Amino acid sequence: MNIVVCIKQVPDTTEVKINPVTGTLIRDGVPSIINPDDKGGLEVALELKDKYGAHVTVITMGLPQADAVLREAFAMGVDKAILLTDRKLGGADTLATSNALAGALKAMDFDLVITGRQAIDGDTAQVGPQIAEHLGLPQVSYVMGLDVKGEGKYIVKKETEEGYQTLEVEGKCVLTTLASAFKPRYMTVAGIVDAFDKEIEVWGADKIQVEESKIGKAGSPTSVFKSFTKELKPAGEKFEVDPEQAVELIVAKLKEKHII
Amino acid sequence: MNFELTKTQQLFKQMIREFAEKEVKPLAAEVDEQERFPIETVQKMAKLGIFGIPIPKQYGGAGGDHIMYTIAVEELSRVCATTGVIVSAHTSLCCAPILENGTEEQKMKYLPKLASGEWIGAFGLTEPNAGTDASAQQTTAVLDGDEYVLNGSKIFITNAGYADVYVVATMTDKSQGNKGITTFIVEKGTPGFSIGKKEQKMGIRGSATCELIFENCRIPKENLLGKIGGGFKVAMKTLDGGRIGIASQALGIAQGAMDETVKYTKERKQFGKSIAQFQNTAFQMAELETKVQASRLLVRQAAWKEGLGLPFSADAAMAKLFAAQTAMEVTTKAVQFHGGYGYTREYPVERMMRDAKITEIYEGTSEVQRMVISAKLFK
């Protein structure tokens, strides 16, 4: 079984500050991480490797320094890593990104493609489903569980607003995973020591056979008009208790703070 | 000259920091309160290869460097000094002397299982009457046929009871003084070898600290580690390496207390502003931050020299002396900055202050470090 996991390098938004004047992200000194939903997808793939000996390839599209997330993926246990990087791919919105990634996937041999549901720096949740459409493959989004039922058959648990659905999927497909459903493994010490000796395949735009009008800035119908910061309010404390207990709790809290 | 961590070391730091925050920190208060050895954490660390960081790959280790090992002990100790010393004693005091002095058979027998964490290691040197004066060993080993017979006891042994392999110093020829000391490898479960009293300690309360008792304990003569009469050298070299581990532990405790104090003093308001905004707080914290950073440079310099095979004895002593003093000073002031809350177990700085004290005592007291440093200075 060949699995390809698409991952994205994102700024760790828990540590990102926003410039209140310009409304843009202050990226200086902010660590870059593997997007959490994608890391969940990596864990799903690595569990299939542990259980069934699957071969796991990881691909990322980004600047040359995005190789850091591929090294981390090596240290977690993936077999192969591809960095898709080219000036021609720069300035891509979700459509151009998914065109490029779908082009790369067409050049690969795979049974299953996994992406994260969405990236924490954009929150669109569009790239995974778009890849499936470009490739003409069935897709299951919001995946919270996966197992193999037989040759090319998967039992997939999908989160819905009300609960979850259990689906059976057959053949090549695209899944988008939720970070909250999986506990990604830690890198191992030996994996880290070896990670920088492994070869990352670097692919340029010429490798993916997609028209230039469909990738990069040229292939991006969306552009950011303005970003702004929502005014923040402190979160406050939340308690879930019965109404009778709530009165006592509120009074106790007010007394504790010497308000009453 | 380059002060930056390599990419491998940076990636390792990212992993161990995340592991410490998510898996170790949540248990730190409980392990201290209950004086409980954190066996579940040990198993998790074993799975990731944390017990074999600087052990070469041919012996089942990760093949990492000494800097990575110091980062591991620092980051673990930053949230839980108990967990830090478990790794330090195992790596520096048991794996290292076997790697340096063991025969190929001994290395192949012990190191893969120690590196994988299937076996935990410990080291027995201190005795009731042989502390700083380690040459006054009273535990004896006498050759009888193909076996050595050990009699005596060791005290204050870290990881005792949970460890499977013990490197033990004994006196094989009292007339030779230091040159009559010999080290052996003793396995858990050997008849005549038992674990005695468990100490109740001020700090690092989750770490197992017990007595080792040898009563006609017979071990095969193949378990001789190094040469007959070469044990004092083995022990002193082992402690040199161990001091880098304990310096890393002290550094981690100090950094942990700094991080807690920065957070608290920014949040805590008195007289209408955060207490971090008072110059008294800010200037003291600046002093402490400088000392923590200086400790880190000393630790990494010593580890770097050890890794290159350069003499590092005085460097390790300076790193431990300074880092331990810094840990004690930072944690004491951290409690002060936390005020009444800092004296309670609601905040971790109380535990950190208790944990810091041992770093001025074990693996050579601060006084011993001054002896080592001054001996080199005036030689």
Side-chain angles (χ1 to χ4, degrees):
Chain A
M1 191 193 323
N2 287 320
I3 307 173
V4 180
V5 186
C6 304
I7 65 172
K8 185 181 185 186
Q9 185 183 46
V10 292
D12 187 351
T13 49
T14 57
E15 296 194 26
V16 163
K17 292 194 174 75
I18 292 172
N19 183 327
V21 181
T22 61
T24 52
L25 295 180
I26 303 169
R27 291 199 180 214
D28 288 349
V30 176
S32 293
I33 58 169
I34 297 178
N35 177 53
D37 280 339
D38 306 352
K39 211 168 175 181
L42 259 183
E43 179 57 31
V44 171
L46 291 170
E47 280 171 18
L48 292 176
K49 180 181 172 174
D50 293 345
K51 269 190 183 169
Y52 307 106
H55 181 276
V56 181
T57 301
V58 67
I59 182 168
T60 192
M61 184 175 107
L63 297 169
Q65 58 263 37
D67 71 341
V69 293
L70 300 177
R71 299 289 175 201
E72 186 174 344
F74 270 139
M76 288 171 74
V78 305
D79 301 294
K80 185 178 168 184
I82 298 168
L83 173 64
L84 183 56
T85 187
D86 199 312
R87 280 177 186 276
K88 289 177 187 162
L89 300 168
D93 68 359
T94 62
L95 184 63
T97 301
S98 61
N99 271 325
L101 285 170
L105 285 159
K106 279 180 190 164
M108 297 159 77
D109 178 26
F110 64 85
D111 302 296
L112 188 63
V113 174
I114 303 176
T115 75
R117 168 196 46 174
Q118 64 192 44
I120 52 173
D121 60 350
D123 283 335
T124 68
Q126 292 168 358
V127 173
Q130 285 176 359
I131 288 173
E133 290 302 313
H134 297 317
L135 296 174
L137 294 178
Q139 59 175 292
V140 183
S141 53
Y142 289 73
V143 170
M144 52 189 294
L146 171 74
D147 208 353
V148 175
K149 199 188 172 188
E151 188 72 21
K153 273 190 187 173
Y154 311 98
I155 302 293
V156 183
K157 199 168 159 186
K158 172 191 168 70
E159 191 183 78
T160 64
E161 281 186 25
E162 298 80 26
Y164 63 86
Q165 297 172 338
T166 305
L167 307 167
E168 193 177 302
V169 190
E170 198 173 342
K172 279 189 180 185
C173 60
V174 177
L175 309 176
T176 80
T177 48
L178 297 174
S180 56
F182 306 98
K183 190 172 185 263
R185 64 197 56 199
Y186 293 99
M187 294 176 264
T188 64
V189 184
I192 293 166
V193 171
D194 292 342
F196 291 89
D197 296 333
K198 293 192 173 167
E199 195 196 343
I200 290 175
E201 276 188 32
V202 180
W203 290 11
D206 55 330
K207 176 88 182 180
I208 59 173
Q209 311 271 316
V210 182
E211 291 165 43
E212 287 198 13
S213 63
K214 290 188 171 177
I215 56 171
K217 191 113 181 104
S220 299
T222 335
S223 58
V224 177
F225 173 62
K226 185 188 171 192
S227 353
F228 59 94
T229 319
K230 258 171 66 178
E231 204 173 309
L232 292 174
K233 277 188 193 169
E237 276 183 284
K238 269 189 189 169
F239 299 92
E240 285 188 26
V241 290
D242 296 332
E244 294 85 45
Q245 289 169 289
V247 174
E248 274 181 42
L249 190 94
I250 292 166
V251 171
K253 282 277 163 198
L254 292 173
K255 280 189 177 164
E256 188 186 303
K257 296 193 184 301
H258 303 289
I259 294 169
I260 55 170
Chain B
M1 199 71 188
N2 186 354
F3 287 99
E4 227 182 19
L5 295 177
T6 65
K7 284 185 171 178
T8 305
Q9 290 159 351
Q10 286 176 33
L11 193 60
F12 177 73
K13 187 179 168 188
Q14 179 192 327
M15 181 280 277
I16 196 82
R17 167 70 63 101
E18 191 186 348
F19 178 82
E21 284 287 332
K22 288 189 182 159
E23 312 290 336
V24 183
K25 191 176 182 179
L27 285 177
E30 178 194 317
V31 158
D32 172 66
E33 193 70 31
Q34 298 176 0
E35 301 192 42
R36 181 173 75 74
F37 188 84
I39 191 76
E40 65 274 57
T41 308
V42 166
Q43 285 161 355
K44 285 179 195 166
M45 291 194 293
K47 218 173 127 191
L48 299 179
I50 293 170
F51 286 104
I53 298 166
I55 299 177
K57 284 183 181 167
Q58 77 227 58
Y59 301 118
D65 59 33
H66 288 75
I67 302 284
M68 286 167 68
Y69 162 61
T70 66
I71 293 170
V73 178
E74 177 189 341
E75 290 296 333
L76 294 169
S77 304
R78 180 177 158 271
V79 297
C80 174
T82 281
T83 307
V85 75
I86 292 170
V87 174
S88 180
H90 166 92
T91 310
S92 289
L93 302 186
C94 185
C95 299
I98 293 176
L99 181 63
E100 285 219 359
N101 306 286
T103 61
E104 197 54 32
E105 288 74 26
Q106 286 171 334
K107 289 185 206 178
M108 289 310 291
K109 180 175 179 189
Y110 294 106
L111 291 177
K113 284 185 173 168
L114 287 166
S116 71
E118 184 185 339
W119 283 354
I120 298 298
F123 175 68
L125 176 68
T126 302
E127 296 184 1
N129 296 315
T132 294
D133 181 10
S135 61
Q137 295 285 311
Q138 289 177 336
T139 296
T140 55
V142 177
L143 186 63
D144 180 24
D146 285 340
E147 292 172 326
Y148 277 94
V149 184
L150 272 57
N151 277 292
S153 67
K154 299 283 170 186
I155 56 165
F156 304 149
I157 306 307
T158 305
N159 289 346
Y162 292 92
D164 306 86
V165 181
Y166 297 76
V167 170
V168 177
T170 67
M171 187 60 85
T172 42
D173 185 352
K174 202 169 167 40
S175 66
Q176 296 287 315
N178 281 353
K179 289 183 178 163
I181 296 172
T182 304
T183 42
F184 293 94
I185 302 170
V186 184
E187 293 177 28
K188 183 183 192 170
T190 307
F193 170 37
S194 59
I195 305 297
K197 182 182 148 219
K198 182 182 176 217
E199 301 296 340
Q200 290 183 303
K201 306 187 296 293
M202 173 195 277
I204 52 161
R205 285 159 42 114
S207 149
T209 311
C210 312
E211 187 183 10
L212 309 181
I213 301 166
F214 302 97
E215 291 168 306
N216 291 322
C217 171
R218 302 183 79 88
I219 55 170
K221 69 176 181 191
E222 297 82 56
N223 285 20
L224 165 70
L225 182 64
K227 293 178 187 150
I228 294 283
F232 192 73
K233 263 191 180 168
V234 171
M236 291 304 112
K237 182 80 198 296
T238 299
L239 286 178
D240 282 343
R243 281 165 193 160
I244 299 177
I246 299 308
S248 308
Q249 185 199 25
L251 170 61
I253 297 169
Q255 186 63 59
M258 286 299 289
D259 294 347
E260 290 295 330
T261 307
V262 167
K263 194 170 83 185
Y264 182 81
T265 55
K266 278 163 82 175
E267 285 167 2
R268 172 73 170 170
K269 287 200 166 61
Q270 291 287 278
F271 303 104
K273 56 181 180 179
S274 77
I275 61 173
Q277 288 172 301
F278 290 96
Q279 199 176 57
N280 177 52
T281 310
F283 278 16
Q284 285 195 69
M285 288 295 284
E287 288 282 336
L288 297 176
E289 174 69 3
T290 306
K291 289 181 181 178
V292 171
Q293 187 56 21
S295 303
R296 186 170 289 113
L297 292 175
L298 284 172
V299 165
R300 291 195 180 155
Q301 176 179 258
W304 172 75
K305 285 193 177 179
E306 186 186 12
L308 289 179
L310 298 168
F312 68 98
S313 183
D315 301 271
M318 285 189 268
K320 181 176 180 288
L321 174 65
F322 194 71
Q325 283 176 337
T326 300
M328 204 60 236
E329 186 183 350
V330 169
T331 53
T332 308
K333 289 195 171 159
V335 169
Q336 192 69 22
F337 282 126
H338 281 70
Y341 292 112
Y343 196 65
T344 70
R345 294 199 181 168
E346 203 178 320
Y347 287 86
V349 289
E350 175 268 349
R351 183 186 77 242
M352 291 169 170
M353 184 176 162
R354 287 185 286 107
D355 287 345
K357 185 62 205 170
I358 190 61
T359 65
E360 293 187 310
I361 299 171
Y362 63 8
E363 298 195 31
T365 59
S366 288
E367 290 70 27
V368 166
Q369 310 313 323
R370 293 186 184 101
M371 284 162 64
V372 173
I373 299 161
S374 58
K376 189 187 172 215
L377 193 60
F378 296 115
K379 75 175 178 190

